[in-house]
Amino acid sequence: MNSSSIYILVFVQLWLLSLPCRESVCIPSERETLLKFKNNLIDPSNRLWSWNHNHTNCCHWYGVLCHNLTSHLLQLHLSSSDYAFYDEEAYRRWSFGGEISPCLADLKHLNYLDLSGNYFLGEGMSIPSFLGTMTSLTHLDLSHSGFYGMIPPQIGNLSNLVYLDLRSVANGTVPSQIGNLSKLRYLDLTYNHLLGEGMAIPSFLCAMLD
Ligand SMILES: *[C@@H]1O[C@H](CO)[C@@H](O)[C@H](O)[C@H]1NC(C)=O
Ligand SMILES: *[C@@H]1O[C@H](CO)[C@@H](O)[C@H](O)[C@H]1NC(C)=O
Ligand SMILES: *[C@@H]1O[C@H](CO)[C@@H](O)[C@H](O)[C@H]1NC(C)=O
Ligand SMILES: *[C@@H]1O[C@H](CO)[C@@H](O)[C@H](O)[C@H]1NC(C)=O
Ligand SMILES: *[C@@H]1O[C@H](CO)[C@@H](O)[C@H](O)[C@H]1NC(C)=O
C-alpha cells in the first residue's frame, strides 16, 4: 500500500467511527405532519415556537424525540400538568387548547404520547376515536386533557399499550375492549364519572389485575 491509500483508509475508518454519533435529522413527511398538527392547536404562550419551517430538524423541536438511528419520530411530550400555577388564568396561558388533528395518526412509529393537563376542545368532547389506530403506542397519557365523555372502544385496539392514564376524561362506562390490552401494566381511571361506580369492578379489569 502506498501512503495515500493509507490516508484514505484512516479517513474512512474515522468517518465510520463518527457514524454512530451523527444526529437524527427528521423525516420530512413527519415534519409536515407535526406542522399540520400544530395548525389546529391553540398555544397561547407560544411554547411551540421551535415548530416552524426555519428549523428543519424537527427532532430538535420542543417535546419531540426521534429514534437516534432511523430518525423516526418516537415520542411527543406535550403535557402541561407538571407545572404548579397559582391561578387558572396562568395555567390556561401555559396549556394547549384547540383540536387534535387526525393527521397525528400518520406518525406510524410514535410510541409515547403525553397530552395531559391541556384543554383540548373542552366540555362535551370525548377522546377522539382515531387515537385507536395509533397501534405503535406503548404509553398514552390523556389525563386532565379537557376531553370529557365516553371512552372510545377503539382504545382497545392499542394492543402495545403498557401505560394508559385516563384520569378525569370519562363519563360513562369503561369499554370492555380495554380488557384486550394484554400488555397493560398501568391503568388510571380515577376522577371519572363511571357508571356503576361504587359497584363491583368490571370482571375484565379484575382478570387484568391477575
Ligand atoms: C440510541 O439511544 C439509546 C437509548 O434510547 C441508547 O441506548 C443508544 O446507545 C443510542 N445509540 C446511539 C448510536 O447513540
Ligand atoms: C423564517 O425565516 C424567514 C426568512 O428569514 C422569516 O421571514 C420568517 O419570519 C421566519 N419564520 C419564523 C416562523 O421564524
Ligand atoms: C378497533 O376497535 C373497534 C371497536 O372496538 C372495532 O370496531 C374496529 O374494527 C377496530 N379497528 C381495527 C383497525 O382493528
Ligand atoms: C354524563 O353522561 C350522562 C349520560 O350521557 C349525561 O346525562 C351527564 O350530563 C354527563 N355528565 C356530565 C357531568 O357531563
Ligand atoms: C378482544 O378480545 C376478545 C376476546 O376476549 C375478542 O373476541 C375480540 O375480537 C377482541 N377484540 C379486538 C378488537 O381485538
Side-chain angles (χ1 to χ4, degrees):
M1 263 198 270
N2 61 29
S3 67
S4 70
S5 59
I6 287 176
Y7 279 132
I8 290 172
L9 201 68
V10 166
F11 178 81
V12 165
Q13 273 174 346
L14 284 174
W15 179 73
L16 283 174
L17 275 176
S18 73
L19 269 185
C21 305
R22 84 199 201 289
E23 57 175 356
S24 310
V25 174
C26 83
I27 290 162
S29 62
E30 295 186 337
R31 179 175 61 231
E32 293 313 308
T33 298
L34 287 182
L35 289 171
K36 270 191 250 167
F37 170 70
K38 181 188 176 181
N39 266 342
N40 291 353
L41 289 187
I42 298 169
D43 177 14
S45 48
N46 201 17
R47 283 164 68 193
L48 301 184
W49 65 269
S50 58
W51 292 37
N52 69 64
H53 277 291
N54 291 356
H55 297 115
T56 49
N57 190 358
C58 68
C59 294
H60 291 169
W61 289 1
Y62 177 90
V64 172
L65 192 93
C66 295
H67 193 283
N68 51 14
L69 297 176
T70 66
S71 282
H72 276 298
L73 217 148
L74 294 186
Q75 305 195 352
L76 273 182
H77 297 255
L78 298 176
S79 172
S80 303
S81 58
D82 330 340
Y83 300 87
F85 290 102
Y86 294 107
D87 62 287
E88 175 78 10
E89 203 192 315
Y91 168 68
R92 283 275 165 149
R93 272 201 306 272
W94 178 252
S95 308
F96 298 112
E99 204 180 319
I100 300 186
S101 166
C103 73
L104 198 63
D106 296 342
L107 301 173
K108 295 290 180 220
H109 298 262
L110 201 70
N111 60 36
Y112 187 108
L113 180 60
D114 186 352
L115 299 172
S116 61
N118 293 300
Y119 60 101
F120 297 113
L121 274 185
E123 288 86 272
M125 185 73 185
S126 54
I127 293 169
S129 56
F130 77 83
L131 289 176
T133 65
M134 302 181 68
T135 47
S136 296
L137 288 177
T138 57
H139 182 114
L140 179 60
D141 189 346
L142 297 170
S143 59
H144 304 279
S145 54
F147 294 115
Y148 193 71
M150 210 185 75
I151 299 173
Q154 286 84 350
I155 294 289
N157 295 350
L158 297 176
S159 54
N160 287 311
L161 273 189
V162 174
Y163 182 104
L164 178 59
D165 193 339
L166 295 174
R167 276 173 297 152
S168 193
V169 287
N171 176 25
T173 52
V174 182
S176 60
Q177 286 84 348
I178 298 267
N180 281 27
L181 301 175
S182 56
K183 295 183 183 166
L184 209 58
R185 288 292 164 269
Y186 179 95
L187 173 65
D188 200 338
L189 291 165
T190 49
Y191 308 116
N192 288 312
H193 293 101
L194 299 174
L195 295 178
E197 213 166 20
M199 293 161 64
I201 297 170
S203 57
F204 70 86
L205 285 181
C206 292
M208 290 172 75
L209 295 173
D210 288 345

